Amino acid sequence: MDAHFLPISRLRQVPSVAVVVDVMRAYTVAAWAFARGAEKIVLAESTADALALTARHPGWVALKDGPPAPGFDLVNSPGLLRSADLSGRTVVQKTTAGTVGALAVKHAPLVLCAGFVVAEATARVLRAGGYDEVTFVVTGEDGRADEDLACAEYIAHRATGPDTTAATATGPATETAGAPGATIGPATDTTTAPGSTTDRATADRAAPYLRRAAASRAAVELATGIREGAHADDVALCLELDRFPFAMAATLEDGLMVLRPHTPH
């Protein structure tokens, strides 16, 4: 499998398979929303579009980045979302990077949205498909968010087999991997989440990627309260490896980009 790692700004053509990665926090939040009972997630183009959708559909729930705002029911925080009852609800999500990345590849035949919490399930979809080429959209910081790049590289590694690495990695996003002067933080706890099927060998393989994510700018800003609309547990929740058994696939439905859980076979 040829794996290409690209920021949103470098997408020049429609990929055949796209994996859109936003670890902190869009697609960790999306996975939690499904775990809390959401039926589907509509990825909105703008906050105005999100509010217009919920105005037309009073039962839908709106979610955005940052602090609470009028018209929005939830913020983009797994720690704050994990106690919500979303049974049977439709969530409309608008974030700074994650939703933008998915909408940028909305015409791709297969769009998967991912974070560490659904890493193995996402890799299983790619392995089952036997795809020759996969584009990983590294959404944060114009492709330089190390938590997103680390997760993308880890999924690519898993997609090509547990003990092999992706055949090729192209695009400017890869420049941040192992860059001189990069700081790797203290070892991340790779204890598997409740219900996870991740074994110790898999956790050990994931550890270097999780360490990079834990030392990322996003993780530091969340941990120190720089980012609004956050919970103290957000970073830890974003780094729970394989917390959920499903992948997440986005497709166009009646002109809207709709994300749904997908269980790989």
Side-chain angles (χ1 to χ4, degrees), residues 90-224:
T90 293
V91 176
V92 181
Q93 185 181 32
K94 171 66 181 87
T95 70
T96 305
T99 58
V100 175
L103 289 163
V105 292
K106 63 184 178 181
H107 296 297
L110 176 62
V111 179
L112 301 172
C113 297
F116 281 110
V117 293
V118 294
E120 179 57 29
T122 304
R124 250 189 349 261
V125 173
L126 299 178
R127 287 199 300 269
Y131 303 107
D132 293 330
E133 189 171 15
V134 175
T135 296
F136 289 85
V137 183
V138 183
T139 62
E141 300 175 33
D142 196 32
R144 291 175 171 80
D146 207 26
E147 75 280 4
D148 293 341
L149 181 57
C151 184
E153 291 174 349
Y154 175 69
I155 293 171
H157 167 83
R158 294 296 296 169
T160 53
D163 299 309
T164 58
T165 55
T168 62
T170 64
T174 60
E175 294 171 0
T176 60
T183 301
I184 301 300
T188 299
D189 181 5
T190 57
T191 301
T192 56
S196 171
T197 58
T198 301
D199 59 24
R200 174 50 56 186
T202 298
D204 288 345
R205 281 190 289 266
Y209 301 94
L210 291 167
R211 282 196 294 270
R212 286 169 53 194
S216 68
R217 174 181 173 182
V220 171
E221 290 182 353
L222 284 170
T224 57

Side-chain angles (χ1 to χ4, degrees), residues 2 8 19 28 50 58 83 104 144-145 154 184 202 216 218 222 234 240:
D2 288 343
I8 298 168
V19 179
T28 301
S83 60
R144 291 175 171 80
Y154 175 69
I184 301 300
T202 298
S216 68
L222 284 170
D234 277 356
E240 285 189 322

Side-chain angles (χ1 to χ4, degrees), residues 25-38:
R25 294 163 283 173
Y27 295 128
T28 301
V29 165
W32 269 100
F34 290 130
R36 298 302 301 161

